[in-house]
Amino acid sequence: MANIHITGRCDCGATAGPLGTCVDYYHGILAEEQSDPQMYRWHAPVVLTYLLQHPSLAHEKYLDNQFRQLQLYVDQGLDALLRLAAHQVARNNHRARLGYDMAPLAAYAPLPQGEPPSHFRASFSGLPFRDDSFVSDGHLAYGDRIKAIAEATVESWRSAQT
C-alpha cells in the first residue's frame, strides 16, 4: 500500500482518480449502495471485480469461485448472477444444509495459476463521480460501467493464462 502514495498507482496498475485509488472508490460504492436498492443490484459484480483486480486483499481459496462467477456475469448478465446467488443462499439455508453448488459454474474456466495480472484496461479509479454519486447519470449507465470493469478483469485474467 505504501507504493500507492509514492507512485499514484493502485496495486492493480490503475492511476489514482479524483477520489483516490480503487479502494477509495470501492468504499464509496459500498457506502452509496447501502441507501440505493437499485445500485445495490450490482453489489456482487462490484465485490467480485474488486477482489479479482486486487487479489492480495482477497482470500485465495475463494478466488477461483469468484473468477467463475464473474465469467458467468460477463457471459449471461446480472440477472443470471443474481439467480445463482439466490440458488446458493437457498442451498446454504440452515434447514437445507446442501452446501455450495459448483455445477452452475462448471462451464467456466478456472482461475489461471501464477502471477495475477498487473494491469486492467478498466478499473474502479476510472469511474465517474458527480454530484456526490456514482449513479448521477442513471443506474443503467452505472451498471454498464461495472460490466465494462468486469469484462476487463476477465480479459486480463484470461490473458494471464497464455
Side-chain angles (χ1 to χ4, degrees), residues 93-155:
N93 180 304
H94 71 333
R95 285 176 253 139
R97 298 199 187 268
L98 295 173
Y100 199 80
D101 182 10
M102 287 296 290
L105 300 173
Y108 295 99
L111 184 75
Q113 297 298 308
E115 290 295 312
S118 59
H119 180 74
F120 302 87
R121 67 175 164 77
S123 66
F124 287 90
S125 65
L127 287 171
F129 185 76
R130 290 182 212 97
D131 303 324
D132 293 328
S133 177
F134 291 97
V135 295
S136 61
D137 60 346
H139 292 89
L140 292 179
Y142 168 76
D144 289 344
R145 289 189 290 272
I146 296 302
K147 185 153 189 189
I149 296 171
E151 290 168 344
T153 304
V154 169
E155 174 186 287

Side-chain angles (χ1 to χ4, degrees), residues 10-91:
C10 186
D11 290 345
C12 69
T15 304
L19 296 179
T21 59
C22 291
V23 70
D24 301 305
Y25 283 77
Y26 180 64
H27 289 155
I29 289 168
L30 296 179
E32 185 175 351
E33 70 185 15
Q34 293 302 306
S35 63
D36 186 340
Q38 282 185 288
M39 184 181 179
Y40 190 79
R41 287 179 45 83
W42 284 275
H43 176 76
V46 165
V47 172
L48 295 170
T49 302
Y50 181 77
L51 293 174
L52 284 159
Q53 284 196 0
H54 305 86
S56 66
L57 302 175
H59 294 285
E60 188 176 335
K61 74 179 191 174
Y62 300 119
L63 283 172
D64 178 68
N65 182 24
Q66 291 164 338
F67 182 60
R68 290 171 191 255
Q69 287 181 59
L70 196 62
Q71 290 174 83
L72 178 134
Y73 167 63
V74 166
D75 183 38
Q76 297 184 35
L78 182 60
D79 288 338
L81 182 62
L82 294 175
R83 280 192 304 275
L84 174 65
H87 169 71
Q88 300 299 12
V89 167
R91 287 181 59 89

